[in-house]
Amino acid sequence: AQKITQTQPGMFVQEKEAVTLDCTYDTSDQSYGLFWYKQPSSGEMIFLIYQGSYDEQNATEGRYSLNFQKARKSANLVISASQLGDSAMYFCAMREGRVLGDMRFGAGTRLTVKP
Amino acid sequence: DGGITQSPKYLFRKEGQNVTLSCEQNLNHDAMYWYRQDPGQGLRLIYYSQIVNDFQKGDIAEGYSVSREKKESFPLTVTSAQKNPTAFYLCASSIRSLVAYNEQFFGPGTRLTVL
């Protein structure tokens, strides 16, 4: 069964505006972690932000913030003040606490920032 | 600098040949992972290893083999039994922990093309 769902194959945003990338997940575990990675055209995966299932506050890292709604099982990534260099694929991932080595990735969202 | 190296960046192989992809890390991480990424898709786990001399199959292990003789190295062999090996292969490492929140650090990837 699909554990991570990213419903937006592609998104466009104007430079300097904010954009939200959607991610919903499915787990019966109480302990889990949610991650967002950025993949530029060069291919490497760059870690952006993490949210733990027990964290009460939404995670923030510079221009990145995670809108965590536990009851709805969503972990949307918000990028503020978009820059041209933000154009890339973005992947949401989840690791369930009891399963070692099992990080599940969504299909990704391709973000294009327009000048 | 600490990080993960993968070589080669591009690899071409004739159908029916085995090929080995290299992955080395100097982050002192116990856990290492191999993922496969097909165009426009997310990452799928091939194999992972939590400690030296031990490894576990992921979701798509058929046609692949690994070894973990040293902490720093986790080579992946794509055998002739893998029916569709053309893909982008990513190696990752992380701290070994039962807790969910340890992020994975990724190498730059190897793009394998079967001719």
Side-chain angles (χ1 to χ4, degrees):
Chain A
Q2 188 69 20
K3 295 263 188 176
I4 296 286
T5 303
Q6 295 181 252
T7 57
Q8 307 153 313
M11 288 282 287
F12 291 89
V13 65
Q14 205 67 36
E15 193 178 7
K16 299 180 185 176
E17 293 186 349
V19 63
T20 297
L21 306 183
D22 294 341
C23 173
T24 57
Y25 59 92
D26 181 30
T27 181
S28 56
D29 278 6
Q30 295 302 309
S31 175
Y32 53 89
L34 296 157
F35 305 78
W36 276 92
Y37 285 85
K38 172 183 177 181
Q39 187 179 43
S41 57
S42 55
E44 76 270 28
M45 297 284 281
I46 302 168
F47 167 72
L48 296 178
I49 196 166
Y50 162 83
Q51 179 84 42
S53 58
Y54 294 117
D55 295 341
E56 294 187 353
Q57 292 195 337
N58 287 343
T60 60
E61 287 287 347
R63 293 187 298 112
Y64 304 108
S65 61
L66 202 152
N67 184 359
F68 181 46
Q69 298 186 43
K70 193 170 182 176
R72 298 177 63 181
K73 293 188 176 179
S74 76
N76 299 340
L77 177 71
V78 180
I79 305 175
S80 63
S82 297
Q83 301 172 357
L84 296 178
D86 294 335
S87 294
M89 284 289 290
Y90 289 81
F91 292 96
C92 180
M94 175 178 67
R95 185 179 176 207
E96 294 165 301
R98 292 177 302 172
V99 185
L100 290 175
D102 193 11
M103 184 174 277
R104 299 283 180 171
F105 286 81
T109 295
R110 180 170 297 282
L111 176 67
T112 302
V113 180
K114 295 180 176 180
Chain B
D1 286 359
I4 302 175
T5 57
Q6 291 185 244
S7 60
K9 189 172 177 67
Y10 298 95
L11 189 57
F12 298 89
R13 164 196 126 173
K14 290 183 180 179
E15 205 168 330
Q17 289 181 336
N18 292 358
V19 63
T20 297
L21 281 59
S22 167
C23 177
E24 305 276 334
Q25 56 98 0
N26 60 4
L27 300 168
N28 200 32
H29 287 168
D30 287 301
M32 296 186 74
Y33 312 82
W34 273 105
Y35 292 92
R36 170 181 171 138
Q37 185 180 26
D38 292 287
Q41 298 188 29
L43 279 64
R44 292 183 292 167
L45 183 65
I46 305 172
Y47 268 99
Y48 66 97
S49 168
Q50 295 292 328
I51 54 174
V52 174
N53 292 324
D54 184 61
F55 47 82
Q56 305 294 329
K57 292 182 179 180
D59 295 329
I60 55 166
E62 185 176 350
Y64 300 98
S65 66
V66 293
S67 63
R68 188 83 189 278
E69 297 176 1
K70 298 186 301 182
K71 187 176 183 178
E72 302 80 19
S73 178
F74 191 41
L76 173 75
T77 297
V78 184
T79 74
S80 56
Q82 169 50 234
K83 298 196 185 319
N84 186 18
T86 294
F88 187 55
Y89 291 87
L90 283 157
C91 178
S93 71
S94 71
I95 297 169
R96 175 173 179 258
S97 172
L98 287 173
V99 182
Y101 56 71
N102 41 310
E103 75 206 59
Q104 294 183 6
F105 295 83
F106 285 82
T110 292
R111 195 167 298 279
L112 173 64
T113 302
V114 174
L115 304 172

